Amino acid sequence: MSESEVSKLSLNVMIDKEKSKVLFAEANGHVIDVLLSFLTLPLGKIVKILENHYGNQAPVIGSLTTLYRGLFKLDRSHFCTGGAKQMLLNPTSSFEDECRRLKLDITEAKPTKYFVCENAKCPNSRGSNVSMYSDISKCDCGKPLNREVVVVDRLASDGGGVFTIKSSSFVICDDLRVVPIESGYIQTLNNIGITDTDGAEFKRLSLGVDDIVDLLKFALIFPTPLTDFVFKNSHMRGSTTEESEPKVEAEPELLLHLIDRGGNISTSMKKIMLKIFLKKSSNSFLFAQASDEFVEFLLSLLVVPLGGVEFLLGGNTCLKNIDNLYRSVTDFIDDKYFRSPHTKSRLINPKLPHGYISENQFLPLGEEDPPDYITRIGGMGSGMKGFLTREKGICMALSVCFLNRKGVPLSDVEEMVLQISPNDALGILKASLTSTAALTDSLIDPMLQKR
């Protein structure tokens, strides 16, 4: 088999050519593994993949694209260590080992590295001083954690599937619902609401890396990703900047579902102060004066995996295709089709990589256990103290200059102080997925409605 054949995936689709619509697709475990890998991607990694692939034509993903680009332009002097900015710009997934085994990997995942104290004789290097990045944290002895250690790969290379078992076949709906074919084709199609295939045509597609990136893009911004993918040459649509943004509904108790699902809600009483400035004449948001803690919260959104977003929001984001893909894992695909029960539970509630949670972590997230080698030497890893250096507040002169550039007189400015709870933080997270005005949609508009 040639190298080009090895690097391709086969997808069978049934199409209604007259309506330019995909009815359904049939795929093997290799394709489903790639689709499920979307749930493992950190939000910042998604933005990076799309920007690298499409360049200036990259779609805007809510407020995340602006956040990522702002981070890219932020001077390194604002970060506590030289590697902290790179850690946020290129966040690592806790599924790196799995992604490297995908038949097509759009993340270009590499073996995860771990670093301990540069002093080989330091007794603390066999304790809790471990980092996934060099020059991010310091050992208890004061020296940097920059000596790489070899770790044991946690996923056996046995020729089986990555997330699903190798021999399974699945049906994929146009909205990314995935169901296994276990009771015969007709019954499976009836179960997903396909009852009329009159005039349908069969088409076999060969998918490469570029096609998988297209599927990711369509899954994030269009309601019918398979149809848009198959017929993209005949009716390609623009990016989300040309589409109307879905309205983010205020959900005051987003945290409640985590109590029943075993989520970590230990941060639920914590609050962050945020000073906002409104234009009184239009009740519109001008800017906010934020603490380092709030800025770190915003930047931390980039390291949250897409499946982690689904878990935090109870499978109810504004990304309906991703909701359906996540619901396929939780409800539609039985445990027996996954590589192991642990695989399914990790996809449902993906953790951050080991050592990614800082002392200022605001969202109720967990992190992976340390790899086998570090476990054997007794270390449990050390979290970061924070991403940013401690900055002084915004001076009044800068605020006035900003207002002057906007042409807003001081008499038309209202200053307010908000207390941001973890529940508010989840609202910001949800809004950031689809809205280019995440703070307005999640905080300002609900507050003005109440007032």
Side-chain angles (χ1 to χ4, degrees), residues 237-274:
R237 288 179 284 183
S239 69
T240 48
T241 55
E242 300 172 1
E243 301 284 326
S244 59
E245 296 176 356
K247 182 63 178 176
V248 180
E249 300 293 337
E251 296 189 53
E253 298 299 336
L254 285 169
L255 277 172
L256 288 180
H257 78 279
L258 293 177
I259 299 175
D260 296 328
R261 299 176 64 185
N264 175 17
I265 57 171
S266 60
T267 60
S268 59
M269 299 304 294
K270 187 177 180 181
K271 293 184 183 295
I272 297 177
M273 305 301 292
L274 179 67

Side-chain angles (χ1 to χ4, degrees), residues 103-247:
K103 197 167 183 181
L104 289 178
D105 174 28
I106 61 175
T107 69
E108 300 180 348
K110 296 178 174 59
T112 305
K113 297 180 179 180
Y114 286 88
F115 299 87
V116 296
C117 182
E118 67 177 16
N119 179 8
K121 296 183 179 180
C122 176
N124 295 315
S125 66
R126 292 183 175 271
S128 62
N129 293 269
V130 180
S131 173
M132 288 183 63
Y133 291 84
S134 179
D135 193 28
I136 284 287
S137 303
K138 289 186 177 181
C139 179
D140 288 343
C141 72
K143 294 185 179 297
L145 302 178
N146 57 15
R147 180 167 59 91
E148 185 177 349
V149 293
V150 177
V151 299
V152 176
D153 197 334
R154 291 184 281 195
L155 185 62
S157 182
D158 55 8
V162 177
F163 301 114
T164 60
I165 57 177
K166 187 177 181 181
S167 59
S168 300
S169 294
F170 300 84
V171 167
I172 309 171
C173 301
D174 202 6
D175 58 5
L176 290 196
R177 283 176 295 155
V178 177
V179 295
I181 300 174
E182 58 181 348
S183 56
Y185 286 96
I186 302 302
Q187 185 61 47
T188 300
L189 294 179
N190 287 335
N191 290 342
I192 61 174
I194 303 293
T195 57
D196 183 9
T197 58
D198 186 38
E201 297 184 17
F202 172 85
K203 186 173 185 179
R204 175 168 290 168
L205 305 178
S206 182
L207 308 181
V209 170
D210 291 347
D211 299 309
I212 301 304
V213 178
D214 281 344
L215 275 174
L216 174 63
K217 169 187 171 181
F218 295 150
L220 292 170
I221 64 178
F222 295 142
T224 54
L226 289 185
T227 290
D228 283 283
F229 175 74
V230 173
F231 294 97
K232 57 186 175 184
N233 292 329
S234 60
H235 64 276
M236 174 69 79
R237 288 179 284 183
S239 69
T240 48
T241 55
E242 300 172 1
E243 301 284 326
S244 59
E245 296 176 356
K247 182 63 178 176

Side-chain angles (χ1 to χ4, degrees), residues 16 37 49 84 106 109 152 175 183 214 238 242 306 335 348 370 391 406:
D16 185 330
S37 75
I49 289 171
I106 61 175
V152 176
D175 58 5
S183 56
D214 281 344
E242 300 172 1
L306 197 53
D335 294 10
I348 291 174
E391 303 281 357
K406 293 292 185 179

Side-chain angles (χ1 to χ4, degrees), residues 296 300 355-362 367 383-387:
E296 285 200 5
S300 73
Y356 252 65
I357 291 184
S358 74
E359 293 180 356
N360 297 325
Q361 180 62 43
F362 195 51
E367 69 176 21
M384 296 180 58
K385 294 187 180 300
F387 298 117

